[in-house]
């Protein structure tokens, strides 16, 4: 019945780390290429000729700006942004570090107490005839895995931010040579982050499994239960990164826009605006560092969910190492596929004009998905036996290797569909955003109504895509199928992140061009890069939310199995009250994050107004604003305000599991998953649509857009108000919600042994 895999265990042990190292090496090559753009004024140098036979040093001289001064100015601004971002992240990580240590101790105490800190071997949870390593070992190794996941997540976010602040001014300078050059610089630096993160995540997870194996030996059930701590560490850091960074960036953005654009009628990123540096710093700490940690968390969790289920299936019972590592092999192939895909954008095709930008980014998604389908087919047929059994809530279900291949494909293609639907609803090339822009004629109120309606409507197709992928993958391979589908959606993470990081880098490049006083033509180029980046950022958020839904369902399944729940019955009051409370949590969480942005923005608006009113010569451009005070307002607000939402998410599973038991907790997880996905998609898309409606009016590229008026018209002001409302929706609440649903599920899974043994104290009393 059961046949062995074609790929030997030895080959698997070589392939996974080699692919990860190739990914790291490729990102270093991209970084070296980006750093060839010099940030020091070139005095005399031989003109180098590129492949078109043009001279690279033929930079347009029509700007009437001294070449030397522009470069120095760009370098100075870049330095200010980089310092601001680094100092914020260091402050944030100090607080997060304290939390990490405290939570690590908590994991050890809770899990160690399952068997009263005994060091004797215990009966296995699933295979009751065998003995497994003691609960104390699980406690210790889960804690180590948690710390490793947390550190990897923090390092991923930090490196991404460093690369982005390194590349932003270089993109601005390349924009003088044309839009194609600037695009390649921004995209390459995005790729550095994407590949570093994907490869690091894979390598650290693989090394952790091998190190833990030295102790666990043949007890794979205990080994992979301990590995789940890795996913918990990754996601808990991502939560603070996303919420803290999101509050930081939006407080500055809202403050800068409301006073600068609406009250003072000065352009975006004007150097006279005191909040402008804080705004640009925010793009890096929120959209880059936060997004990096977030997708790393999803990736770690989907791998952990798949490994946990596999360890109690035939792969784990028969100790088939290659089949067991199937999720890691899929990710390894993903790195190679994304590497080839990246070359299409940077080397095989050249971008000659503004209209080529968005298609080039969209082609990245399509090419990576098509190539990945072929790659997964190969892996599925050489790494898996032709038939095997998968754990299905107490029974073993017979599955064939082609069914797992289809599970990965369902996730992969559902991700692409969600990406394109998101693009349709948030790009100003299509009618939904143009309708929102048109509604600005009659003021901000109609703009807000249209935007909200668009967000709610944009939920429909992604939910059907997620529903179909859940049904198909569960029918084929139970909960393992869902975990693998989530991994499929995230298998092209390197390309997804490259596209995603490209957005904030272009946004910063535009800001630097404006602050350095570069010509209108250059600002137009950076705006075009930025508008494409805005849409791709929305696509990235769509991916993150879709994968979060699948990941948390897979983790939920693993939790239900581990906690020994036979069936989750919605009609029992214990479960139903959990459902209601769980569905309420995303709203409570959003309320906290939105209010945090609002109160921080309030302080920012007051400070910016104060500077405009009290610093003589500021509006005339004769005096310099005090940027540092605005940076400090954003930093202080975000550090203080990220703690309550973080505490809500981290403490809910602990309190519910301990006091009300595993049935109620299963209800809370199901409720938060179902409501969180809807709120997250609608919030992200509403915000994205408002932002691009404003850009549509500003660009004035079509007759319709021109009829809505130039910058400063009533329609434009209404669009700016919509954009400002949408900012915290799309960059703080929306993206943080996908972490809420994943994090609660993975935390419940890690603490499941404790809840199953000691949980439900309140019900035990009565």
């Amino acid at each position: 019945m059961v046949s062995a895999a074609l790929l030997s265990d030895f080959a698997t042990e070589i392939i996974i780390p080699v692919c990860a190292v190739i990914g790291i090496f490729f990102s270093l090559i991209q970084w070296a290429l980006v750093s060839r753009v010099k940030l020091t004024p070139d005095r005399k140098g031989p003109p180098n000729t590129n492949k078109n036979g043009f001279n690279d040093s033929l930079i347009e001289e029509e700007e009437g700006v001294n070449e030397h001064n522009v470069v120095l100015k760009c370098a100075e601004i870049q330095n200010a942004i980089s310092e601001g971002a680094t100092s914020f992240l260091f402050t944030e990580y100090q607080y997060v570090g304290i939390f990490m240590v405290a939570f690590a101790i908590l994991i050890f105490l809770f899990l160690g107490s399952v068997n009263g800190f005994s060091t004797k071997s215990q009966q296995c949870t699933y295979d009751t005839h065998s003995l497994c390593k003691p609960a104390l070992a699980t406690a210790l190794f889960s804690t180590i895995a948690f710390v490793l996941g947390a550190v990897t997540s923090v390092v991923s976010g930090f490196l991404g931010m460093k690369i982005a602040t390194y590349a932003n001014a270089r993109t601005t300078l390349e924009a003088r040579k044309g839009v194609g050059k600037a695009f390649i610089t921004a995209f390459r630096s995005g790729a550095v982050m994407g590949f570093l993160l994907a490869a690091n995540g894979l390598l650290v997870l693989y090394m952790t499994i091998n190190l833990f194996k030295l102790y666990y030996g043949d007890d794979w059930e205990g080994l992979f239960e301990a590995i789940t701590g890795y996913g918990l560490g990754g996601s808990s850091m991502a939560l603070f990164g996303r919420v803290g960074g999101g509050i930081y960036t939006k407080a500055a953005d809202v403050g800068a826009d409301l006073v600068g654009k609406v009250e003072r009628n000065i352009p975006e990123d004007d150097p006279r605006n005191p909040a402008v540096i804080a705004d640009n710093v925010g793009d890096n700490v929120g959209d880059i560092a936060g997004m990096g940690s977030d997708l790393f968390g999803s990736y770690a969790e989907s791998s952990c969910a798949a490994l946990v289920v596999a360890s109690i299936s035939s792969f784990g019972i028969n100790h088939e190492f290659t089949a067991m590592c199937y999720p890691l092999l899929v990710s390894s192939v993903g790195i190679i596929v994304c590497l080839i895909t990246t070359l299409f954008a940077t080397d095989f095709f050249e971008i000659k004009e503004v209209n080529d930008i968005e298609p080039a980014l969209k082609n990245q998604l399509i090419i990576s998905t098509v190539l990945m389908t072929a790659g997964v087919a190969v892996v599925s047929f050489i790494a898996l036996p032709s038939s095997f059994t998968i754990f299905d809530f107490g029974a073993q279900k017979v599955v064939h290797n082609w069914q797992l291949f289809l599970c990965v494909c369902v996730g992969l293609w559902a991700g692409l569909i969600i990406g394109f639907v998101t693009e349709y609803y948030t790009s100003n090339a299509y009618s939904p955003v143009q309708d929102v822009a048109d509604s600005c004629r009659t003021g901000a109120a109609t703009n807000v109504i249209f935007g909200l309606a668009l967000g709610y409507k944009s939920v429909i197709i992604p939910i059907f895509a997620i529903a179909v992928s859940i049904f198909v993958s569960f029918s084929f391979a139970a909960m393992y199928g869902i975990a693998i589908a989530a991994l499929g959606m995230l298998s092209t993470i390197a390309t997804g992140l490259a596209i995603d990081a490209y957005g904030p880098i272009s946004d910063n490049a535009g800001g630097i061009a404006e602050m350095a006083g570069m010509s209108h033509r250059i600002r137009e180029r950076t705006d075009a890069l930025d508008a494409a980046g805005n849409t791709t950022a929305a696509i990235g958020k769509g991916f993150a939310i879709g994968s979060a839904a699948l990941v948390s369902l897979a983790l939920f399944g693993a939790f239900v199995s581990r906690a020994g729940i036979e069936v989750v019955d919605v009609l029992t009051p214990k479960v139903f009250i959990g459902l209601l409370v769980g569905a309420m949590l995303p709203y409570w969480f959003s309320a906290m994050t939105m209010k945090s942005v609002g109160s921080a923005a309030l302080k920012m608006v007051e400070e910016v107004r104060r500077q405009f009113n009290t610093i003589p010569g500021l509006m005339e451009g004769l005096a310099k604003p005090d940027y540092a005070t605005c940076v400090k307002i954003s930093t202080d607000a975000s550090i203080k305000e990220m703690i309550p939402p973080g505490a809500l998410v981290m403490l809910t599973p602990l309190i519910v599991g301990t006091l009300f038991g595993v049935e109620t907790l299963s209800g809370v997880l199901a409720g938060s998953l179902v409501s969180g996905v809807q709120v997250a998609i609608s919030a992200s898309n509403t915000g994205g649509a408002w932002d691009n409606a404003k850009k549509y009016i500003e660009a004035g590229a079509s007759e319709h857009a021109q009829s809505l008026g130039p910058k400063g018209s009533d329609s434009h002001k209404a669009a700016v108000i919509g954009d400002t409302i949408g900012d915290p929706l799309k960059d703080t609440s929306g993206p943080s919600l996908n972490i809420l649903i994943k994090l609660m599920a993975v935390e419940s899974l890690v603490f499941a042994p404790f809840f199953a043994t000691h949980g439900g104290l309140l019900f035990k009393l009565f």
Side-chain angles (χ1 to χ4, degrees):
M1 177 73 191
V2 177
S3 59
L6 294 173
L7 195 67
S8 69
D9 288 359
F10 179 67
T12 307
E13 283 171 16
I14 291 172
I15 288 171
I16 297 172
V18 164
C19 286
V21 170
I22 289 173
I24 293 171
F25 188 65
F26 182 71
S27 68
L28 293 175
I29 293 173
Q30 297 297 317
W31 184 69
L33 289 169
V34 171
S35 54
R36 281 165 60 180
V37 181
K38 291 287 171 271
L39 266 185
T40 45
D42 194 19
R43 276 279 149 254
K44 291 185 206 62
N48 48 357
T49 312
N50 66 15
K51 60 184 175 191
N52 300 335
F54 291 127
N55 241 335
D56 255 9
S57 56
L58 286 176
I59 292 173
E60 299 155 8
E61 289 298 338
E62 45 77 42
E63 290 162 39
V65 188
N66 180 336
E67 166 75 9
H68 183 76
N69 290 350
V70 166
V71 180
L72 285 180
K73 191 94 176 102
C74 286
E76 182 193 327
I77 298 163
Q78 181 214 24
N79 205 20
I81 294 172
S82 181
E83 278 175 11
T86 309
S87 77
F88 168 72
L89 286 181
F90 273 129
T91 315
E92 181 184 73
Y93 293 156
Q94 281 166 2
Y95 284 86
V96 169
I98 298 167
F99 158 81
M100 190 169 86
V101 172
F103 205 75
I105 295 168
L106 201 66
I107 294 175
F108 182 72
L109 293 176
F110 268 61
L111 293 182
S113 68
V114 171
N115 267 1
F117 296 100
S118 136
T119 49
K120 293 193 188 72
S121 292
Q122 56 175 358
Q123 190 184 25
C124 293
T125 312
Y126 300 99
D127 180 11
T128 44
H129 304 298
S130 326
L131 283 178
C132 283
K133 299 289 186 203
L136 195 63
T138 307
L140 179 64
F141 284 101
S142 294
T143 308
I144 295 171
F146 168 78
V147 172
L148 281 172
V151 169
T152 311
S153 179
V154 163
V155 168
S156 303
F158 186 73
L159 286 176
M161 183 281 299
K162 272 297 191 207
I163 289 147
T165 52
Y166 182 79
N168 49 18
R170 288 175 164 78
T171 306
T172 312
L173 293 176
E174 286 290 270
R176 297 176 305 172
K177 299 176 191 167
V179 75
K181 294 273 184 200
F183 171 81
I184 286 180
T185 304
F187 189 79
R188 278 204 168 119
S189 19
V192 177
M193 176 186 178
F195 283 92
L196 266 183
L197 191 135
N200 275 342
L202 178 64
L203 196 59
V204 176
L205 180 59
Y206 180 72
M207 283 160 56
T208 310
I209 291 171
N210 279 320
L211 289 171
F212 283 14
K213 227 163 95 182
L214 298 175
Y215 170 78
Y216 276 99
D218 283 344
D219 174 17
W220 284 17
E221 185 186 301
L223 164 64
F224 290 103
E225 190 172 299
I227 287 286
T228 50
Y230 183 73
L232 176 61
S235 251
S236 53
M237 295 304 107
L239 177 73
F240 290 107
R242 253 301 189 205
V243 175
I247 293 169
Y248 185 106
T249 176
K250 290 304 121 182
D253 197 354
V254 172
D257 279 0
L258 283 181
V259 184
K261 281 189 188 168
V262 178
E263 293 179 9
R264 295 280 170 170
N265 255 341
I266 57 176
E268 189 161 358
D269 296 317
D270 190 295
R272 293 171 292 181
N273 194 330
V276 68
I277 293 282
D279 184 9
N280 281 299
V281 168
D283 291 336
N284 293 295
V285 294
D287 295 347
I288 300 249
M291 185 70 184
S293 296
D294 179 3
L295 279 178
F296 166 75
S298 280
Y299 165 77
E301 283 165 346
S302 55
S303 305
C304 292
L307 291 167
V308 166
V309 181
S311 70
I312 49 178
S313 305
S314 64
F315 301 159
I317 296 163
N318 306 333
H319 295 106
E320 297 168 16
F321 184 73
T322 300
M324 190 70 214
C325 284
Y326 178 66
L328 301 182
L329 286 165
V330 170
S331 304
S332 306
V333 172
I335 290 178
I336 304 300
V337 163
C338 291
L339 194 150
I340 298 165
T341 310
T342 303
L343 297 177
F344 276 96
T346 54
D347 297 84
F348 299 158
F349 294 112
E350 200 170 354
I351 287 191
K352 293 189 173 63
E353 55 185 72
V354 167
N355 295 340
D356 298 344
I357 302 172
E358 216 162 289
L361 292 169
K362 273 162 60 179
N363 288 343
Q364 285 287 297
L365 291 174
I366 297 167
I367 294 166
S368 62
T369 305
V370 171
L371 291 177
M372 192 65 205
T373 307
V376 173
V378 174
V379 171
S380 304
F381 292 106
I382 64 169
L384 294 170
S386 57
S387 73
F388 40 88
T389 64
I390 293 287
F391 183 84
D392 179 16
F393 295 116
Q396 291 282 355
K397 176 178 179 151
V398 176
V399 180
H400 298 282
N401 54 7
W402 60 268
Q403 291 174 305
L404 276 194
F405 161 65
L406 289 179
C407 287
V408 180
C409 289
V410 160
L412 189 61
W413 287 89
L416 191 66
I417 291 167
I418 292 173
F420 280 131
V421 170
T422 310
E423 191 226 5
Y424 173 72
Y425 279 107
T426 56
S427 164
N428 52 27
Y430 303 103
S431 61
V433 171
Q434 292 174 7
D435 290 346
V436 172
D438 193 61
S439 70
C440 294
R441 289 174 192 280
T442 46
T446 40
N447 179 24
V448 170
I449 294 166
F450 269 71
L452 287 172
L454 176 145
Y456 297 146
K457 195 175 169 190
S458 71
V459 174
I460 301 168
I461 299 173
I463 292 295
F464 277 119
I466 293 170
V468 169
S469 44
I470 287 170
F471 183 79
V472 171
S473 51
F474 190 87
S475 308
F476 282 151
M479 277 298 167
Y480 186 68
I482 292 174
I484 287 291
L487 207 69
M489 205 178 269
L490 290 165
S491 56
T492 52
I493 185 174
T495 295
L497 261 173
I499 293 176
D500 217 56
Y502 155 88
I505 292 170
S506 314
D507 191 353
N508 260 211
I512 292 173
E514 181 75 49
M515 285 187 268
M518 292 168 112
S519 76
H520 182 61
R521 285 178 60 178
I522 290 184
R523 183 69 221 222
E524 272 178 3
R525 285 171 192 165
T526 56
D527 274 353
L529 291 172
D530 182 22
N534 242 352
T535 305
T536 53
I539 294 176
K541 288 180 188 122
F543 262 90
I545 295 165
S547 62
L550 292 176
V551 169
S552 55
L553 183 61
L555 291 164
F556 176 61
F559 162 73
V560 169
S561 306
R562 181 62 188 86
I565 304 171
E566 295 297 320
V567 62
V568 178
D569 183 0
V570 182
L571 293 176
T572 53
K574 275 186 190 177
V575 177
F576 195 78
I577 56 170
L579 269 178
L580 277 176
V581 172
M584 173 273 297
L585 286 172
Y587 291 92
W588 188 1
F589 180 82
S590 299
M592 285 179 164
T593 49
M594 293 286 285
K595 187 151 186 291
S596 301
V597 172
S599 54
L602 196 72
K603 289 186 191 131
M604 188 66 79
V605 167
E606 286 169 353
E607 173 58 26
V608 175
R609 275 186 190 150
R610 183 194 69 75
Q611 292 199 26
F612 273 126
N613 293 334
T614 58
I615 300 178
L618 181 56
M619 269 308 279
E620 294 73 38
L622 303 171
K624 263 185 99 169
D626 174 11
Y627 297 127
T629 309
C630 292
V631 171
K632 188 175 184 321
I633 289 175
S634 263
T635 304
D636 293 349
S638 51
I639 297 292
K640 189 173 105 226
E641 303 278 359
M642 75 180 180
I643 294 164
L648 173 73
V649 178
M650 299 300 287
L651 296 176
T652 301
L654 291 178
I655 293 168
V656 174
T658 309
L659 296 180
F660 299 94
V662 283
E663 280 100 344
T664 310
L665 182 53
S666 64
V668 169
L669 294 179
S672 66
L673 165 61
V674 169
S675 100
V677 174
Q678 330 278 342
V679 179
I681 295 176
S682 64
S684 291
N685 290 351
T686 295
W690 275 328
D691 192 350
N692 274 342
K694 174 203 70 175
K695 284 202 163 58
Y696 175 74
I697 294 174
E698 286 178 352
S702 65
E703 274 183 32
H704 175 235
Q706 285 163 2
S707 73
L708 293 168
K711 289 185 185 181
S713 67
D714 286 347
S715 303
H716 178 244
K717 282 185 174 168
V720 171
I721 291 172
D723 172 37
T724 315
I725 301 169
D727 274 336
L729 282 172
K730 79 174 191 325
D731 288 326
T732 313
S733 296
S736 310
L737 280 173
N738 59 48
I739 305 177
L740 169 134
I741 54 181
K742 293 181 308 197
L743 186 51
M744 283 177 35
V746 74
E747 191 183 332
S748 304
L749 175 60
V750 169
F751 285 100
F754 175 80
F755 297 149
T757 322
H758 302 303
L761 294 177
L762 280 184
F763 292 131
K764 284 176 184 168
L765 293 175
F766 299 117

